[in-house]
Amino acid sequence: MIKLLSLIATLAFVGFGVVLGLLNPTLVSFDYLFGQRHIPLSVLLSVSFVLGMLFAGLFVFTQVMRLQWKLHRLNKQHKQQAIEIIELKKQLHKTPSAPSHDMALKNPG
């Protein structure tokens, strides 16, 4: 089902790009740092869209990696604390307990 939806979305974007290209054949002047070019408006819009998607993808990727690293660190800390809790419980059960109050009353001597 997900593959079908992604195929439909891809075809929709390709169709949108074709329509965009057909409706915007006008040449526009594009000034960049080292010069100037005349390119079709549809190409300029497509390149801008792709660059925007790449930058957004890079931003999301860095955020996801940062959060995964934080999750890894917290899971490691959780494991260490769980081991420490188990060790403390073992130590608690190994220590001899003091005689209860009821036993002291039955044997006054």
Side-chain angles (χ1 to χ4, degrees), residues 16 21 23 26 52 61 69-70 80 85 88 92 94 97 101 109:
F16 179 72
L23 294 177
T26 307
F61 177 75
W69 176 252
K70 186 175 182 178
Q80 290 173 347
I85 288 171
L88 288 173
L92 182 65
K94 285 183 181 179
S97 59
H101 184 64

Side-chain angles (χ1 to χ4, degrees), residues 2 8 22 36 41 43 48 51 62 66 70 72 87 100:
I2 293 175
I8 291 171
L22 291 174
Q36 178 182 12
L41 180 59
V43 172
S48 298
L51 286 176
T62 57
R66 183 181 61 83
K70 186 175 182 178
H72 173 73
E87 291 298 320
S100 67

Side-chain angles (χ1 to χ4, degrees), residues 2-20:
I2 293 175
K3 288 183 181 182
L4 179 64
L5 289 176
S6 72
L7 178 65
I8 291 171
T10 302
L11 291 175
F13 278 115
V14 169
F16 179 72
V18 169
V19 168
L20 188 69

Side-chain angles (χ1 to χ4, degrees), residues 23-43:
L23 294 177
N24 295 302
T26 307
L27 290 176
V28 293
S29 174
F30 178 68
D31 296 320
Y32 52 97
L33 191 59
F34 301 111
Q36 178 182 12
R37 283 215 160 176
H38 295 286
I39 57 176
L41 180 59
S42 60
V43 172

Side-chain angles (χ1 to χ4, degrees), residues 59-77:
F59 176 74
V60 168
F61 177 75
T62 57
Q63 295 298 316
V64 167
M65 292 306 294
R66 183 181 61 83
L67 290 173
Q68 283 183 343
W69 176 252
K70 186 175 182 178
L71 179 64
H72 173 73
R73 197 174 65 236
L74 290 173
N75 280 337
K76 187 175 179 181
Q77 182 181 3

Side-chain angles (χ1 to χ4, degrees), residues 83-100:
I83 291 170
E84 185 178 346
I85 288 171
I86 290 170
E87 291 298 320
L88 288 173
K89 285 182 179 180
K90 285 180 183 177
Q91 288 177 5
L92 182 65
H93 291 300
K94 285 183 181 179
T95 58
S97 59
S100 67

